[in-house]
Structure formats: C-alpha cells, structure tokens
Amino acid sequence: MLQQTQVETVIPYYERWLNKYPTVNSVASEKIDKLLKIWEGLGYYSRCRNFHEATKEIIKSHNGVIPNQFGVFKSLKGVGNYIAGAVMSIAFNQPYVAIDGNQQRVIARVLGIKNLTQRNRKRLSLYLSQLVNYGNSGDINQALMDLGSSICKPRKVDCTHCPFRLTCKAHKFNDPLGYPIIIAKQKIPTKRFAAMLIRHKDNIFINKRAESGLLGGLWELPNVEIHNGSKSKTLLKEKLGCRFGCEVKVGPKLGAISHAFTHFKMNIDLFDGQLKINPKLKTGEKWVAFSDIDQYAFSKANHKLFELVDVSNG
DNA sequence: AACACGTGGAG
DNA sequence: TCTCCAAGTGT
C-alpha cells in the first residue's frame, strides 16, 4: 500500500483492510472484486492484484507460512528489492537494506552522489549494507526513511538537526538540494474521452475494465477515446453501437470532468444516452441499480462523473 | 532501460 | 491552477 503513496494516505486503507482481512488465508480465499472494492481510491490497483496473487502463492507453495528468506519472499508477486528488504529487516531482523526514495536521497547526499547511475546506486547500497550489518537493521532502515521524510526532504532540509551533519558531503558543499540531481520530467499528454450515462428505469449500464493495465478490473461508465477532432457524439454512437450490437441514441451533454494520472491527463465529457433495445449482456457488462453502485469499485475519474449527475439520488 | 502504473498532499 | 513527489514494481 505504501508504494509511491504517502503514509497518511495509506493509514485508513490499511486499517480497513486489516479489519476485514486479518490473515493471509482471508485474503487468498477472497474474490479479487471484493479486494479491489476495499482498495478503491488508493490507486495503483495492480498492487492489490499482486498482493492477492502473493497470498495465494503463500497458501499454495509455502504451507500458509510467510517465507523468511529474502529470495523466496522476493519471488512473490509485487515484492521487489525494497519490500523484501523491509520485511526481512523489520519483521525477521535480518541484515538487509530497504532502500526507498528517502534512503536513496539521504545517502546520496551523505556520500555526495550527484548522479544516480547504476554504479552509484551500488555504492549507496554497499554503504547501507555496512550500516545494517552492525545489527538492528530494521530500526536503521526505519530511521533512515524517517530522516528522509522529516528533515532531509527533496526540496527542504534542516541540516542543523541531522545526525549526519558532521560528515554529509552535500552539507559540506553547502548544496544539499543539489544531491542527487533531479531528473526533469517530460511533459505528459492530455487525452480526451467521451463517456455515456445509459439509463434504463432505475438502472445504469456499467462495464468492467480489462483485468490488466490501467485501472485493471475496475468498473466504469462506457466510454471512448476521442482522437484529433472527431465528434464525441458520433464516436459514441458508432463505437458503443458496435460494442453493444444495437443502435445507440446519444442525448445531451451532462457535464465534463478532468483527471490527472502520472503519465497523462484526461478530459472526459459525459453524455446522456439510451440503447434502442436491451443488448445481450456480455461478461463484464451489467445494469446496476443506482443504490447498488457502491458495491462496485470505480476509479476516481468515474466517481467524478457520478458527481456530475448525482446518481445516488437518481 | 525506459515507461506504465493512481491519487492526494504540499508549496 | 500547476508542479513535484510519495515506504516501487512489472514489463
């Protein structure tokens, strides 16, 4: 849950999750749709799917016991170097490093590392290995992460309160923020979409996204991407008509929302719509009562669409 | 190696 | 409003 996500954001999700799924087996034996509903709003939904897979693997191949060897634990889905190191050191008191963004930045400054090349990452890791080899590896990992999140921040430092102040190279050079060099981000594109609110009595039509990829396994209002200047209404009528195998009547525009992901921005126009006949529902397509919408996991963008029309009140 | 992958906090 | 970035991992 903590992957690229601030601790404060995670806490309520973590508590809800542990309250509902306190054991490995309770996760492994649950349906992914239920897990995604608990995860809804946290983002990076593949983490949820990976965790589900990891628990199933623990039941299937490890007798339900969480592996306490680095290599075995790291082989679980969604577990990389950081998580494996964090669990080995914090949970099992083994001398492994757990290099998150904080530790990387702190040690890069201490060692005066400008460029995070592969070679310099190894220097950094070696330095940390020596630290954790003295013992208390879990506490050391925790402490360095906390140092990075509280006083050795990316764009603001408080060197006078830093335990490394006497030896830190970046501090000595009087340029802590210059270490490591921050790689400029490239601009992200903006994409246009048109979505449709298809009503039938007290139901609306929703469909499930593909299990993998962006927002995998979440539900959404039917939508199409609008490329270079084509007309939203025309595209909705054509593409959704083709998908449902029946004529689609596109009504008035109900509103618009925008939403930002890490790698692109999105503008969505929402249209009212009707299907001329009831289509034969395929897998992942559903009519859902307004009152039952909260049973399904939707992305934040979809909730913004719902807010446009206040579906909960019809 | 580079890019995909969500959302919200903070300045 | 805009930009950066957060307890990274998979492909």
Side-chain angles (χ1 to χ4, degrees):
Chain A
M1 283 182 167
L2 288 163
Q3 186 174 317
Q4 297 288 279
T5 308
Q6 295 186 340
V7 175
E8 290 302 315
T9 304
V10 164
I11 288 171
Y13 283 89
Y14 176 76
E15 289 182 338
R16 273 198 295 276
W17 185 288
L18 234 62
N19 187 43
K20 190 147 178 146
Y21 303 108
T23 64
V24 170
N25 194 55
S26 65
V27 178
S29 56
E30 181 60 286
K31 293 271 189 290
I32 183 63
D33 282 6
K34 299 277 194 179
L35 299 177
L36 282 170
K37 182 62 192 175
I38 305 294
W39 202 278
E40 180 183 32
L42 191 56
Y44 282 162
Y45 298 94
S46 66
R47 294 178 293 179
C48 182
R49 189 177 307 279
N50 286 337
F51 185 51
H52 190 213
E53 291 303 314
T55 58
K56 288 196 285 186
E57 181 69 10
I58 290 171
I59 298 297
K60 180 175 165 235
S61 303
H62 304 294
N63 233 350
V65 179
I66 297 170
N68 66 352
Q69 294 176 46
F70 183 94
V72 180
F73 190 85
K74 186 172 179 291
S75 74
L76 298 170
K77 287 272 178 62
V79 176
N81 270 321
Y82 165 73
I83 294 181
V87 170
M88 288 309 112
S89 65
I90 296 170
F92 296 124
N93 193 31
Q94 295 177 34
Y96 286 95
V97 300
I99 307 176
D100 71 331
N102 289 308
Q103 286 215 36
Q104 181 171 264
R105 180 178 62 257
V106 169
I107 304 306
R109 285 173 178 166
V110 169
L111 299 181
I113 291 174
K114 278 259 192 202
N115 298 298
L116 290 169
T117 59
Q118 202 166 23
R119 176 176 164 278
N120 279 336
R121 285 173 206 272
K122 278 190 184 149
R123 283 177 58 203
L124 206 150
S125 178
L126 194 63
Y127 179 88
L128 284 166
S129 296
Q130 292 169 343
L131 281 188
V132 298
N133 274 331
Y134 285 110
N136 299 318
S137 54
D139 288 346
I140 289 172
N141 282 323
Q142 289 276 12
L144 289 170
M145 287 189 276
D146 288 347
L147 184 61
S149 67
S150 57
I151 80 172
C152 189
K153 299 185 196 178
R155 287 166 191 283
K156 185 175 162 56
V157 294
D158 180 14
C159 295
T160 57
H161 291 107
C162 180
F164 286 110
R165 66 188 174 280
L166 297 180
T167 54
C168 176
K169 294 271 184 59
H171 180 236
K172 184 179 170 191
F173 300 153
N174 202 24
D175 184 24
L177 300 189
Y179 298 79
I181 287 177
I182 296 169
I183 292 138
K185 276 187 175 174
Q186 51 190 1
K187 269 203 268 185
I188 61 174
T190 300
K191 301 181 181 182
R192 289 184 57 212
F193 289 83
M196 202 158 67
L197 185 74
I198 306 169
R199 305 194 198 212
H200 178 66
K201 297 181 182 172
D202 280 343
N203 295 323
I204 63 171
F205 187 96
I206 61 174
N207 62 266
K208 196 182 214 238
R209 296 178 59 86
E211 301 293 325
S212 63
L214 185 70
L215 307 171
L218 269 61
W219 293 81
E220 66 181 3
L221 294 178
N223 65 85
V224 296
E225 184 174 0
I226 311 297
H227 294 283
N228 50 30
S230 35
K231 289 271 199 288
S232 296
K233 287 195 174 189
T234 311
L235 220 56
L236 278 174
K237 192 174 175 58
E238 283 176 10
K239 295 231 173 171
L240 295 187
C242 185
R243 195 192 301 177
F244 300 142
C246 74
E247 192 179 337
V248 174
K249 184 164 182 278
V250 183
K253 181 171 162 179
L254 300 172
I257 65 107
S258 50
H259 188 72
F261 296 106
T262 309
H263 50 303
F264 70 94
K265 292 180 186 170
M266 187 166 65
N267 294 319
I268 310 178
D269 289 333
L270 179 63
F271 291 86
D272 203 7
Q274 290 175 304
L275 303 183
K276 283 296 176 66
I277 54 169
N278 246 344
K280 182 167 167 53
L281 295 180
K282 302 185 194 71
T283 308
E285 296 179 345
K286 262 196 171 112
W287 290 103
V288 182
F290 298 139
S291 53
D292 288 339
I293 280 183
D294 62 2
Q295 300 301 302
Y296 299 84
F298 293 91
S299 73
K300 184 68 185 175
N302 246 274
H303 281 292
K304 289 181 184 174
L305 293 175
F306 288 152
E307 281 175 28
L308 287 177
V309 291
D310 199 4
V311 284
S312 59
N313 296 326

